[in-house]
Amino acid sequence: MRRLKALLPRSLFGRALLILVTPLVLVQIVAAAVFFDRVWETVTRRISSALAGEVATLIETMARYPSPADRDWALNIARRKTGMLIGYEPGAHLTGATRLEPTFGLLENRLINALNRTLPEPYTLDFWNHPTDVLLAIQLNHGTLRV
């Protein structure tokens, strides 16, 4: 208790300043935490929805134009426009492909929810084997799409 008393200001001006500044600093800290939490939540939701929409658009394009030349054209456009590594393996089958339930962290749950809303196809997600990437594999009728 004596150490704490030694740290507190002794003058009336110092005490008044402490009474006025401490609540302002606390309010700013709380406001910043709330602001950044909402920004993080909004950004992750939008990025997850955008990724799910881009993948769903590619799947629908590949279903509409099923020839190998058209499929390669759609894959090349998707690679160029999104900057993602996208591959298609004809005839490949995923083991353990399902619709995931959101039971992970915030970012993972947002992505899973967006994929479940957008994709009817079974898929797998790998969040952990590549430290900078999320690997998405989707089982299609005639092969596997890997993003």
Side-chain angles (χ1 to χ4, degrees), residues 36-110:
F36 283 114
D37 182 58
R38 291 204 42 150
V39 166
W40 176 252
E41 190 174 318
T42 302
V43 167
T44 56
R45 186 181 66 247
R46 288 181 181 170
I47 288 174
S48 298
S49 295
L51 174 66
E54 289 169 356
V55 170
T57 301
L58 177 60
I59 291 171
E60 285 189 25
T61 303
M62 291 172 62
R64 174 84 163 93
Y65 303 104
S67 74
D70 289 336
R71 182 185 62 228
D72 292 340
W73 170 81
L75 288 169
N76 285 330
I77 286 178
R79 286 183 196 114
R80 276 196 333 263
K81 298 297 180 181
T82 63
M84 292 186 285
L85 299 174
I86 301 172
Y88 179 72
E89 300 170 18
H93 294 284
L94 284 177
T95 56
T98 183
R99 294 176 61 79
L100 298 176
E101 292 298 321
T103 58
F104 303 101
L106 174 68
L107 181 60
E108 293 88 352
N109 287 344
R110 293 276 186 217

Side-chain angles (χ1 to χ4, degrees), residues 6-34:
L7 293 175
L8 293 175
R10 298 191 201 298
S11 69
L12 181 61
F13 176 74
R15 290 180 182 182
L17 193 62
L18 187 65
I19 289 170
L20 292 174
V21 170
T22 302
L24 291 175
V25 169
L26 289 176
V27 165
Q28 286 191 347
I29 289 171
V30 169
V34 168

